[in-house]
């Protein structure tokens, strides 16, 4: 559940609540996204990549893949 820890850390660092993220996501998508919905996805580990991208954009971040050491690439993290 690394995504949960990473997003929670970003929320804390930026002094932003999940409620704020839900409101902003609702604005961007035109869908009703609740705080509870995001919280449950983080708990269950079912947050979609697109949703994580949007959360990052709302907070002013860009998600990207970074090549890791070849030895680590052969192991599942």
């Amino acid at each position: 559940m690394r995504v949960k820890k990473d997003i929670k850390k970003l929320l804390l660092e930026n002094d932003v609540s999940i409620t704020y993220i839900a409101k902003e996501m609702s604005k961007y998508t035109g869908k009703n996204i609740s705080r509870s919905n995001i919280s449950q996805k983080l708990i269950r580990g079912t947050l979609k990549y697109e949703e994580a991208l949007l959360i990052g954009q709302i907070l002013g971040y860009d998600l990207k893949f970074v090549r890791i050491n070849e030895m680590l690439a052969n192991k599942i993290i």
Side-chain angles (χ1 to χ4, degrees):
M1 284 198 216
R2 181 176 171 166
V3 88
K4 176 184 175 182
K5 288 181 182 179
D6 289 346
I7 289 177
K8 290 282 193 172
K9 181 181 175 188
L10 289 175
L11 293 175
L12 285 172
E13 288 175 358
N14 290 279
D15 194 28
V16 173
S17 68
I18 292 179
T19 302
Y20 172 79
I21 293 296
K23 287 179 185 177
E24 291 299 308
M25 288 178 75
S26 295
K27 285 181 195 177
Y28 280 102
T29 63
K31 299 177 183 176
N32 185 21
I33 299 173
S34 69
R35 177 201 56 79
S36 176
N37 181 270
I38 296 171
S39 293
Q40 287 302 309
K41 286 183 178 193
L42 289 172
I43 290 167
R44 291 190 306 260
T46 58
L47 190 74
K48 294 179 183 175
Y49 179 74
E50 292 82 12
E51 294 167 327
L53 273 174
L54 182 53
I55 291 170
Q57 288 172 350
I58 291 167
L59 295 173
Y61 294 89
D62 185 28
L63 301 181
K64 66 180 179 177
F65 290 97
V66 178
R67 167 102 28 215
I68 56 175
N69 181 303
E70 288 297 321
M71 293 197 55
L72 291 176
N74 295 323
K75 295 181 181 181
I76 297 176
I77 297 174

Coordinates of all heavy atoms in Angstrom, one line a residue:
M1 N 0.8 -1.2 0.0 CA 0.0 0.0 0.0 C 0.9 1.3 0.0 O 0.6 2.2 0.7 CB -0.9 0.0 1.2 CG -2.1 -0.9 1.0 SD -3.3 -0.5 2.2 CE -3.9 -2.1 2.6
R2 N 1.9 1.3 -0.8 CA 2.8 2.4 -0.9 C 2.0 3.7 -1.3 O 2.3 4.7 -0.9 CB 3.9 2.1 -1.8 CG 4.9 3.2 -1.8 CD 6.1 2.9 -2.6 NE 6.8 4.2 -2.7 CZ 8.1 4.2 -3.1 NH1 8.7 3.1 -3.4 NH2 8.7 5.4 -3.2
V3 N 1.1 3.5 -2.3 CA 0.4 4.7 -2.8 C -0.3 5.4 -1.7 O -0.4 6.6 -1.6 CB -0.5 4.3 -4.0 CG1 -1.9 3.9 -3.6 CG2 -0.6 5.5 -5.0
K4 N -0.9 4.6 -0.8 CA -1.6 5.2 0.4 C -0.6 6.1 1.2 O -0.9 7.3 1.5 CB -2.2 4.2 1.2 CG -2.9 4.7 2.5 CD -3.4 3.6 3.4 CE -4.0 4.1 4.7 NZ -4.4 3.0 5.5
K5 N 0.5 5.5 1.5 CA 1.5 6.3 2.3 C 2.0 7.5 1.6 O 2.2 8.6 2.2 CB 2.7 5.4 2.7 CG 2.3 4.3 3.7 CD 3.5 3.5 4.0 CE 3.2 2.4 5.0 NZ 4.3 1.5 5.4
D6 N 2.3 7.3 0.3 CA 2.8 8.4 -0.5 C 1.8 9.6 -0.6 O 2.1 10.8 -0.4 CB 3.2 8.0 -1.9 CG 4.4 7.1 -1.9 OD1 5.1 7.1 -0.9 OD2 4.6 6.4 -3.0
I7 N 0.5 9.3 -0.8 CA -0.5 10.3 -1.0 C -0.8 11.0 0.4 O -0.9 12.2 0.5 CB -1.8 9.8 -1.6 CG1 -1.5 9.5 -3.1 CG2 -3.0 10.7 -1.4 CD1 -2.6 8.9 -3.9
K8 N -0.8 10.2 1.4 CA -1.0 10.7 2.8 C 0.1 11.7 3.1 O -0.1 12.8 3.7 CB -1.1 9.6 3.8 CG -2.4 8.8 3.8 CD -3.5 9.5 4.4 CE -4.7 8.6 4.6 NZ -5.7 9.2 5.4
K9 N 1.3 11.3 2.8 CA 2.5 12.1 3.0 C 2.4 13.5 2.3 O 2.6 14.5 2.8 CB 3.8 11.4 2.6 CG 5.0 12.2 2.9 CD 6.3 11.4 2.4 CE 7.5 12.3 2.6 NZ 8.7 11.6 2.0
L10 N 2.0 13.4 1.0 CA 1.8 14.6 0.2 C 0.7 15.5 0.8 O 0.9 16.7 0.8 CB 1.5 14.3 -1.2 CG 2.6 13.7 -2.1 CD1 2.1 13.3 -3.4 CD2 3.8 14.6 -2.2
L11 N -0.3 14.9 1.3 CA -1.4 15.7 1.9 C -0.9 16.4 3.1 O -1.2 17.6 3.3 CB -2.6 14.8 2.2 CG -3.4 14.2 1.0 CD1 -4.5 13.2 1.6 CD2 -4.0 15.2 0.1
L12 N -0.2 15.7 3.9 CA 0.4 16.4 5.1 C 1.4 17.5 4.8 O 1.3 18.6 5.3 CB 1.1 15.3 6.0 CG 0.2 14.4 6.8 CD1 1.0 13.3 7.5 CD2 -0.6 15.2 7.8
E13 N 2.3 17.2 3.8 CA 3.3 18.2 3.4 C 2.7 19.5 2.9 O 3.2 20.5 3.0 CB 4.3 17.6 2.4 CG 5.2 16.6 3.0 CD 6.1 15.9 2.0 OE1 5.9 16.2 0.7 OE2 6.9 15.1 2.4
N14 N 1.5 19.3 2.2 CA 0.9 20.4 1.6 C -0.3 21.0 2.4 O -1.0 21.9 1.9 CB 0.4 20.0 0.2 CG 1.6 19.8 -0.8 OD1 2.1 20.8 -1.3 ND2 2.0 18.6 -1.0
D15 N -0.5 20.5 3.6 CA -1.6 20.9 4.5 C -2.9 20.9 3.8 O -3.6 21.9 3.8 CB -1.2 22.3 5.1 CG -2.1 22.6 6.2 OD1 -2.6 21.7 6.9 OD2 -2.4 23.8 6.5
V16 N -3.2 19.8 3.1 CA -4.4 19.6 2.4 C -5.2 18.4 2.9 O -4.6 17.4 3.2 CB -4.1 19.4 0.9 CG1 -5.3 19.1 0.0 CG2 -3.4 20.7 0.3
S17 N -6.5 18.5 2.9 CA -7.3 17.3 3.4 C -7.8 16.5 2.2 O -7.9 17.0 1.1 CB -8.5 17.9 4.2 OG -9.4 18.6 3.3
I18 N -8.3 15.3 2.5 CA -8.9 14.5 1.5 C -10.2 15.1 1.1 O -10.6 15.0 -0.1 CB -9.1 13.0 2.1 CG1 -7.8 12.3 2.3 CG2 -10.0 12.2 1.1 CD1 -7.8 10.9 2.8
T19 N -10.9 15.8 1.9 CA -12.1 16.5 1.5 C -11.8 17.5 0.4 O -12.6 17.6 -0.5 CB -12.7 17.2 2.8 OG1 -13.0 16.2 3.8 CG2 -14.0 17.9 2.4
Y20 N -10.7 18.3 0.6 CA -10.4 19.2 -0.4 C -10.0 18.5 -1.8 O -10.5 19.0 -2.8 CB -9.1 20.1 0.0 CG -8.6 20.9 -1.1 CD1 -9.2 22.2 -1.4 CD2 -7.5 20.5 -1.8 CE1 -8.7 23.0 -2.4 CE2 -6.9 21.4 -2.8 CZ -7.6 22.6 -3.1 OH -7.0 23.4 -4.1
I21 N -9.3 17.4 -1.7 CA -8.9 16.7 -2.9 C -10.2 16.2 -3.6 O -10.3 16.2 -4.8 CB -8.0 15.5 -2.5 CG1 -6.6 16.0 -2.1 CG2 -7.8 14.6 -3.7 CD1 -5.8 16.8 -3.1
A22 N -11.1 15.7 -2.8 CA -12.4 15.1 -3.3 C -13.2 16.2 -4.1 O -13.7 16.0 -5.2 CB -13.3 14.5 -2.2
K23 N -13.2 17.4 -3.5 CA -13.9 18.6 -4.1 C -13.2 18.9 -5.4 O -13.9 19.2 -6.4 CB -14.0 19.8 -3.2 CG -14.9 19.6 -2.0 CD -14.9 20.8 -1.1 CE -15.8 20.6 0.1 NZ -15.7 21.7 1.0
E24 N -11.9 19.0 -5.4 CA -11.2 19.4 -6.6 C -11.3 18.3 -7.7 O -11.5 18.6 -8.9 CB -9.7 19.6 -6.3 CG -9.5 20.9 -5.5 CD -10.0 22.2 -6.2 OE1 -9.6 22.4 -7.3 OE2 -10.7 22.9 -5.5
M25 N -11.3 17.1 -7.3 CA -11.4 16.0 -8.3 C -12.8 16.0 -8.9 O -13.0 15.8 -10.1 CB -11.2 14.6 -7.6 CG -9.7 14.4 -7.3 SD -9.4 12.8 -6.4 CE -9.6 11.6 -7.8
S26 N -13.8 16.4 -8.1 CA -15.2 16.5 -8.6 C -15.3 17.6 -9.6 O -15.9 17.4 -10.7 CB -16.2 16.8 -7.5 OG -16.2 15.7 -6.6
K27 N -14.6 18.7 -9.4 CA -14.6 19.8 -10.3 C -13.9 19.4 -11.7 O -14.5 19.7 -12.7 CB -13.8 21.0 -9.8 CG -14.5 21.8 -8.7 CD -13.6 23.0 -8.3 CE -14.0 23.6 -7.0 NZ -13.1 24.6 -6.5
Y28 N -12.8 18.7 -11.6 CA -12.0 18.3 -12.8 C -12.8 17.3 -13.6 O -12.8 17.3 -14.8 CB -10.7 17.8 -12.4 CG -9.6 18.8 -12.1 CD1 -9.2 19.1 -10.8 CD2 -9.0 19.5 -13.2 CE1 -8.3 20.1 -10.5 CE2 -8.0 20.5 -12.9 CZ -7.7 20.8 -11.6 OH -6.7 21.7 -11.3
T29 N -13.4 16.3 -12.9 CA -14.0 15.2 -13.6 C -15.5 15.4 -13.9 O -16.0 14.7 -14.8 CB -13.9 13.9 -12.8 OG1 -14.6 14.1 -11.6 CG2 -12.4 13.6 -12.5
G30 N -16.1 16.3 -13.2 CA -17.6 16.5 -13.4 C -18.4 15.4 -12.7 O -19.6 15.3 -12.9
K31 N -17.7 14.6 -12.0 CA -18.4 13.5 -11.2 C -18.4 13.8 -9.8 O -17.5 14.5 -9.3 CB -17.6 12.1 -11.4 CG -17.6 11.7 -12.9 CD -16.8 10.4 -13.0 CE -16.6 10.0 -14.4 NZ -15.8 8.8 -14.6
N32 N -19.3 13.3 -9.0 CA -19.4 13.5 -7.6 C -18.4 12.5 -6.9 O -18.7 11.3 -6.8 CB -20.8 13.3 -7.1 CG -20.9 13.6 -5.6 OD1 -20.1 14.3 -5.1 ND2 -21.9 13.1 -5.0
I33 N -17.3 13.0 -6.4 CA -16.3 12.2 -5.7 C -16.3 12.6 -4.3 O -16.1 13.8 -4.0 CB -14.9 12.3 -6.4 CG1 -15.0 11.9 -7.9 CG2 -13.9 11.6 -5.6 CD1 -13.8 12.2 -8.6
S34 N -16.5 11.7 -3.4 CA -16.6 12.0 -2.0 C -15.3 11.7 -1.3 O -14.4 10.9 -1.7 CB -17.7 11.2 -1.3 OG -17.4 9.8 -1.3
R35 N -15.1 12.3 -0.1 CA -14.0 12.0 0.7 C -13.9 10.5 1.1 O -12.9 9.9 1.1 CB -14.1 12.8 2.0 CG -12.9 12.6 3.0 CD -13.3 13.0 4.4 NE -14.5 12.4 4.9 CZ -14.6 11.1 5.4 NH1 -13.6 10.3 5.4 NH2 -15.8 10.7 5.8
S36 N -15.1 10.0 1.4 CA -15.2 8.6 1.8 C -14.7 7.7 0.6 O -14.0 6.7 0.9 CB -16.6 8.2 2.2 OG -16.7 6.9 2.4
N37 N -15.1 8.0 -0.6 CA -14.7 7.2 -1.8 C -13.2 7.2 -1.9 O -12.6 6.1 -2.1 CB -15.4 7.8 -3.0 CG -15.1 7.1 -4.3 OD1 -14.1 7.4 -4.9 ND2 -15.9 6.1 -4.6
I38 N -12.5 8.3 -1.8 CA -11.1 8.3 -1.9 C -10.4 7.6 -0.8 O -9.5 6.8 -1.0 CB -10.6 9.8 -2.0 CG1 -11.1 10.5 -3.2 CG2 -9.0 9.8 -1.9 CD1 -10.8 11.9 -3.3
S39 N -10.9 7.8 0.5 CA -10.4 7.1 1.6 C -10.4 5.6 1.5 O -9.5 4.9 1.8 CB -11.1 7.6 2.9 OG -10.8 8.9 3.2
Q40 N -11.6 5.1 1.0 CA -11.8 3.7 0.9 C -10.9 3.1 -0.2 O -10.3 2.0 -0.1 CB -13.2 3.4 0.6 CG -14.2 3.5 1.8 CD -13.7 2.6 2.9 OE1 -13.5 1.4 2.7 NE2 -13.6 3.2 4.1
K41 N -10.7 3.9 -1.3 CA -9.8 3.4 -2.4 C -8.4 3.3 -1.8 O -7.6 2.4 -2.2 CB -9.9 4.3 -3.6 CG -11.1 4.1 -4.4 CD -11.2 5.0 -5.6 CE -12.4 4.7 -6.4 NZ -12.4 5.2 -7.7
L42 N -8.0 4.3 -1.0 CA -6.6 4.3 -0.5 C -6.4 3.1 0.5 O -5.4 2.4 0.5 CB -6.3 5.6 0.2 CG -6.1 6.8 -0.7 CD1 -6.0 8.1 0.2 CD2 -4.9 6.6 -1.5
I43 N -7.5 2.8 1.3 CA -7.4 1.7 2.3 C -7.3 0.4 1.6 O -6.6 -0.5 1.9 CB -8.6 1.8 3.2 CG1 -8.5 3.0 4.2 CG2 -8.8 0.5 4.0 CD1 -9.7 3.3 5.0
R44 N -8.2 0.2 0.5 CA -8.3 -1.0 -0.2 C -7.1 -1.2 -1.2 O -6.9 -2.3 -1.8 CB -9.6 -1.2 -0.9 CG -10.8 -1.4 0.0 CD -12.0 -1.7 -0.8 NE -12.3 -0.8 -1.8 CZ -13.2 0.2 -1.7 NH1 -13.9 0.4 -0.6 NH2 -13.4 1.0 -2.7
G45 N -6.5 -0.1 -1.5 CA -5.4 -0.2 -2.6 C -6.0 -0.3 -4.0 O -5.4 -0.9 -4.8
T46 N -7.1 0.4 -4.2 CA -7.8 0.3 -5.5 C -7.8 1.6 -6.2 O -8.6 1.8 -7.2 CB -9.2 -0.3 -5.4 OG1 -10.0 0.6 -4.5 CG2 -9.2 -1.7 -4.8
L47 N -7.0 2.6 -5.8 CA -6.9 3.9 -6.5 C -6.4 3.7 -7.9 O -5.3 3.0 -8.1 CB -6.0 4.8 -5.7 CG -6.1 6.3 -6.1 CD1 -7.4 6.9 -5.7 CD2 -4.9 7.0 -5.5
K48 N -7.1 4.2 -8.9 CA -6.6 4.0 -10.3 C -5.4 5.0 -10.6 O -5.3 6.0 -9.9 CB -7.7 4.4 -11.3 CG -8.9 3.4 -11.2 CD -10.0 3.8 -12.2 CE -11.1 2.8 -12.0 NZ -12.3 3.3 -12.9
Y49 N -4.6 4.6 -11.5 CA -3.5 5.4 -11.9 C -3.9 6.8 -12.3 O -3.3 7.8 -11.9 CB -2.7 4.7 -13.1 CG -1.6 5.5 -13.6 CD1 -0.4 5.6 -12.8 CD2 -1.6 6.2 -14.8 CE1 0.7 6.3 -13.2 CE2 -0.5 6.9 -15.2 CZ 0.7 7.0 -14.4 OH 1.7 7.7 -14.9
E50 N -5.0 6.9 -13.0 CA -5.5 8.2 -13.5 C -5.9 9.1 -12.3 O -5.8 10.3 -12.3 CB -6.7 8.1 -14.4 CG -6.4 7.5 -15.8 CD -6.3 5.9 -15.8 OE1 -6.7 5.3 -14.8 OE2 -5.7 5.4 -16.7
E51 N -6.5 8.4 -11.3 CA -6.9 9.1 -10.0 C -5.7 9.6 -9.3 O -5.7 10.8 -8.8 CB -7.7 8.2 -9.2 CG -9.1 7.9 -9.8 CD -9.8 6.8 -9.1 OE1 -9.1 5.8 -8.5 OE2 -11.0 6.8 -9.1
A52 N -4.6 8.8 -9.2 CA -3.4 9.2 -8.6 C -2.7 10.4 -9.4 O -2.2 11.4 -8.8 CB -2.4 8.1 -8.5
L53 N -2.8 10.3 -10.7 CA -2.3 11.4 -11.5 C -3.0 12.7 -11.2 O -2.4 13.8 -11.1 CB -2.5 11.1 -13.0 CG -1.4 10.3 -13.7 CD1 -1.9 10.0 -15.1 CD2 -0.1 11.1 -13.7
L54 N -4.3 12.6 -11.1 CA -5.2 13.8 -10.9 C -4.9 14.4 -9.5 O -4.7 15.6 -9.3 CB -6.7 13.5 -11.0 CG -7.6 14.6 -10.8 CD1 -7.3 15.8 -11.7 CD2 -9.1 14.2 -11.0
I55 N -4.7 13.5 -8.5 CA -4.4 14.0 -7.1 C -3.1 14.7 -7.2 O -2.9 15.8 -6.6 CB -4.4 12.8 -6.1 CG1 -5.8 12.3 -5.9 CG2 -3.7 13.3 -4.8 CD1 -5.9 11.0 -5.1
G56 N -2.1 14.1 -7.9 CA -0.8 14.8 -8.0 C -0.9 16.2 -8.7 O -0.3 17.1 -8.2
Q57 N -1.7 16.2 -9.7 CA -1.9 17.5 -10.4 C -2.5 18.6 -9.5 O -2.1 19.7 -9.5 CB -2.7 17.3 -11.7 CG -1.9 16.6 -12.8 CD -2.8 16.2 -14.0 OE1 -4.0 16.4 -13.9 NE2 -2.2 15.8 -15.0
I58 N -3.5 18.2 -8.8 CA -4.2 19.1 -7.8 C -3.2 19.6 -6.8 O -3.2 20.8 -6.5 CB -5.3 18.4 -7.1 CG1 -6.5 18.1 -8.1 CG2 -5.8 19.2 -5.9 CD1 -7.5 17.2 -7.6
L59 N -2.2 18.8 -6.4 CA -1.2 19.2 -5.4 C 0.0 19.9 -6.1 O 0.9 20.3 -5.4 CB -0.8 18.0 -4.6 CG -1.9 17.4 -3.7 CD1 -1.4 16.1 -3.1 CD2 -2.3 18.4 -2.7
G60 N 0.0 19.9 -7.4 CA 1.2 20.5 -8.1 C 2.3 19.6 -8.4 O 3.5 20.0 -8.5
Y61 N 2.0 18.3 -8.5 CA 3.1 17.3 -8.8 C 2.8 16.6 -10.1 O 1.6 16.5 -10.5 CB 3.1 16.3 -7.7 CG 3.6 16.8 -6.3 CD1 2.7 17.3 -5.4 CD2 4.9 16.8 -6.0 CE1 3.1 17.8 -4.2 CE2 5.3 17.3 -4.8 CZ 4.4 17.8 -3.9 OH 4.8 18.3 -2.7
D62 N 3.8 16.0 -10.6 CA 3.7 15.2 -11.8 C 4.2 13.8 -11.5 O 5.3 13.7 -10.8 CB 4.5 15.8 -13.0 CG 4.3 15.0 -14.3 OD1 3.2 14.4 -14.5 OD2 5.2 15.0 -15.1
L63 N 3.5 12.8 -11.8 CA 3.9 11.4 -11.6 C 4.7 10.9 -12.7 O 4.3 11.2 -13.9 CB 2.7 10.5 -11.3 CG 1.8 10.8 -10.2 CD1 0.7 9.7 -10.1 CD2 2.6 10.9 -8.9
K64 N 5.8 10.2 -12.5 CA 6.6 9.7 -13.6 C 7.3 8.4 -13.1 O 7.5 8.2 -11.9 CB 7.6 10.7 -14.1 CG 8.7 11.1 -13.1 CD 9.6 12.1 -13.7 CE 10.7 12.4 -12.7 NZ 11.7 13.4 -13.3
F65 N 7.6 7.6 -14.1 CA 8.4 6.4 -13.8 C 9.9 6.7 -13.9 O 10.3 7.4 -14.9 CB 8.1 5.3 -14.9 CG 6.7 4.8 -14.7 CD1 5.6 5.2 -15.5 CD2 6.4 3.8 -13.7 CE1 4.4 4.7 -15.3 CE2 5.2 3.3 -13.6 CZ 4.1 3.7 -14.4
V66 N 10.6 6.3 -13.0 CA 12.1 6.5 -12.9 C 12.8 5.2 -12.9 O 12.5 4.3 -12.1 CB 12.4 7.3 -11.6 CG1 13.9 7.5 -11.6 CG2 11.7 8.6 -11.6
R67 N 13.7 5.0 -13.8 CA 14.5 3.7 -13.9 C 15.3 3.5 -12.7 O 15.9 4.5 -12.1 CB 15.4 3.8 -15.1 CG 16.4 2.7 -15.1 CD 16.4 1.5 -15.9 NE 15.7 1.4 -17.2 CZ 15.1 0.3 -17.5 NH1 15.0 -0.7 -16.6 NH2 14.5 0.1 -18.7
I68 N 15.2 2.3 -12.1 CA 15.9 2.0 -10.9 C 17.1 1.1 -11.3 O 17.2 0.6 -12.4 CB 15.0 1.3 -9.9 CG1 14.4 0.0 -10.5 CG2 14.0 2.3 -9.4 CD1 13.6 -0.8 -9.5
N69 N 18.0 0.9 -10.3 CA 19.1 0.0 -10.5 C 18.7 -1.3 -11.2 O 17.7 -1.9 -10.8 CB 19.8 -0.2 -9.2 CG 21.0 -1.1 -9.2 OD1 21.0 -2.2 -9.7 ND2 22.1 -0.6 -8.7
E70 N 19.4 -1.9 -12.1 CA 19.1 -3.1 -12.8 C 18.9 -4.3 -11.8 O 18.0 -5.1 -12.0 CB 20.2 -3.5 -13.8 CG 20.2 -2.6 -15.0 CD 18.9 -2.7 -15.9 OE1 18.4 -3.8 -16.0 OE2 18.5 -1.6 -16.3
M71 N 19.7 -4.4 -10.8 CA 19.5 -5.5 -9.8 C 18.2 -5.3 -9.1 O 17.5 -6.3 -8.8 CB 20.7 -5.5 -8.8 CG 22.0 -5.8 -9.5 SD 23.3 -6.4 -8.4 CE 22.6 -7.7 -7.5
L72 N 17.8 -4.1 -8.8 CA 16.5 -3.9 -8.1 C 15.4 -4.2 -9.1 O 14.3 -4.6 -8.7 CB 16.4 -2.5 -7.6 CG 17.3 -2.2 -6.4 CD1 17.1 -0.7 -6.0 CD2 17.0 -3.0 -5.2
A73 N 15.6 -3.9 -10.4 CA 14.5 -4.1 -11.4 C 14.1 -5.5 -11.5 O 13.0 -5.8 -11.9 CB 15.0 -3.5 -12.7
N74 N 15.0 -6.4 -11.1 CA 14.7 -7.9 -11.2 C 13.9 -8.4 -10.0 O 13.4 -9.5 -10.0 CB 15.9 -8.7 -11.4 CG 16.6 -8.4 -12.8 OD1 15.9 -8.2 -13.8 ND2 17.9 -8.4 -12.8
K75 N 13.8 -7.6 -9.0 CA 13.0 -7.9 -7.8 C 11.7 -7.2 -7.7 O 11.6 -6.1 -8.2 CB 13.8 -7.6 -6.5 CG 15.1 -8.3 -6.4 CD 15.8 -7.9 -5.1 CE 17.1 -8.7 -5.0 NZ 17.8 -8.3 -3.8
I76 N 10.7 -7.9 -7.2 CA 9.4 -7.2 -7.0 C 9.4 -6.5 -5.7 O 9.8 -7.0 -4.7 CB 8.3 -8.3 -7.0 CG1 8.2 -8.9 -8.4 CG2 6.9 -7.6 -6.7 CD1 7.2 -10.0 -8.5
I77 N 9.1 -5.2 -5.8 CA 9.1 -4.4 -4.6 C 7.8 -4.4 -3.9 O 6.8 -4.4 -4.4 CB 9.5 -2.9 -4.9 CG1 10.9 -2.9 -5.5 CG2 9.4 -2.0 -3.7 CD1 11.3 -1.5 -6.1

